């Protein structure tokens, strides 16, 4: 099975979805290791599922680029074919993308290119959009700017808060991300300019 590294900073519910899908009998991938950059529930998810855990914190390194290089080496030691950022709240650096560029997939809780960044759900809600959604895309050096692999719409309700809306988006993300990763590891991706297509 194709080894995947999943990177997370939060509750790790997208991570749990990937672990569950990777554990299915017919799955083409498995979660080989989990990377976190802070103390978070995703660490418990790793322990509970008996999956190797790498904790690589910026604060434990001299600066951001030292952290970037250390993270790159630790992930390279696992030898993943694909890396998935699932609620990983740090921008990946040049060393990491130099090594894994084109093989890093991110899930974002908005319909890119609208509302990129760390507060996509709240910003969409504050803007007053009537639909938002989930985007799975390849990671490049920008913030949520890489080629889009898949998107799914989520309708905004009048009484939504950022939390209720985010929870509905995450319900969509958990399935969409696992579906896209399954397709990617099986069929790869064709890039044509900005456009990505899973054949
Ligand atoms: C997901 O909605 C993911 O798209 C988002 O964090 C959540 C993680 O949920 N990521 C970003 O906003 C990155 N900019 P989880 O911790 O329950 O898996």
């Amino acid at each position: 099975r194709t080894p995947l590294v999943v990177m997370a900073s939060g509750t790790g519910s997208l991570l749990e979805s990937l672990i569950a899908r990777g554990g299915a009998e017919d799955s083409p991938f498995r979660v080989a290791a989990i990377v976190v950059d802070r103390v978070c529930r995703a660490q418990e998810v790793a322990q509970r599922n008996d999956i190797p855990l790498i904790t690589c914190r910026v604060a434990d390194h001299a600066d951001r680029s030292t952290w970037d290089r250390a993270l790159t080496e630790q992930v390279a030691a696992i030898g993943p074919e694909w890396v998935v950022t699932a609620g990983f709240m740090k921008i990946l650096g040049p060393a990491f993308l130099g090594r894994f560029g084109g093989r890093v997939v991110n899930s974002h809780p908005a319909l890119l290119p609208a509302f990129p960044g760390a507060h996509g759900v709240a910003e969409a809600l504050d803007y007053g959009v009537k639909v938002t959604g989930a985007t799975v895309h390849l990671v490049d050096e920008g913030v949520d700017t890489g080629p889009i692999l898949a998107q799914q719409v989520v309708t905004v309700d009048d009484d939504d808060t950022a939390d209720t809306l985010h929870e509905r988006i995450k319900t969509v993300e958990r399935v969409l991300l696992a579906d896209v990763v399954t397709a990617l590891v099986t069929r790869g991706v064709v890039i044509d300019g900005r456009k990505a297509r899973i054949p």
Side-chain angles (χ1 to χ4, degrees):
R1 290 186 188 198
T2 301
L4 218 74
V5 162
V6 181
M7 305 177 55
S9 308
T11 54
S13 75
L14 302 188
L15 164 67
E16 283 180 304
S17 152
L18 287 168
I19 293 170
R21 189 71 76 90
E25 209 172 298
D26 57 351
S27 173
F29 71 85
R30 65 187 172 87
V31 179
I34 293 162
V35 174
V36 302
D37 67 314
R38 61 179 74 163
V39 174
C40 60
R41 185 176 168 274
Q43 292 177 306
E44 296 160 33
V45 173
Q47 280 154 7
R48 198 180 331 120
N49 288 278
D50 217 7
I51 295 172
L53 172 69
I54 295 166
T55 300
C56 190
R57 300 176 352 136
V58 174
D60 293 335
H61 297 82
D63 53 30
R64 197 79 181 206
S65 74
T66 313
W67 170 78
D68 176 25
R69 289 195 300 274
L71 182 68
T72 305
E73 288 314 312
Q74 289 176 64
V75 172
I78 307 290
E81 210 153 298
W82 291 91
V83 176
V84 181
T85 53
F88 189 68
M89 301 309 275
K90 290 272 185 315
I91 309 287
L92 296 169
F96 196 92
L97 291 175
R99 187 75 158 250
F100 298 107
R103 299 188 283 142
V104 185
V105 180
N106 180 49
S107 182
H108 183 75
L111 292 177
L112 293 173
F115 310 111
H119 309 289
V121 178
E123 286 171 11
L125 190 66
D126 289 348
Y127 194 93
V129 298
K130 302 300 184 194
V131 294
T132 180
T135 302
V136 178
H137 65 97
L138 292 173
V139 173
D140 65 10
E141 55 293 333
V143 178
D144 300 325
T145 52
I148 291 171
L149 296 165
Q151 292 185 300
Q152 195 168 320
V153 168
V154 172
T155 303
V156 179
D157 295 338
D158 288 340
D159 59 353
D160 261 329
T161 64
D163 283 346
T164 59
L165 180 57
H166 199 174
E167 213 30 73
R168 282 208 312 293
I169 294 171
K170 290 213 287 185
T171 303
V172 167
E173 285 186 271
R174 290 177 198 123
V175 179
L176 190 67
L177 180 60
D179 284 350
V180 169
V181 168
T182 300
L184 268 180
V185 305
T186 312
R187 310 200 295 274
V189 61
V190 177
I191 306 284
D192 175 13
R194 261 217 59 85
K195 292 184 187 164
R197 182 172 60 85
I198 299 175

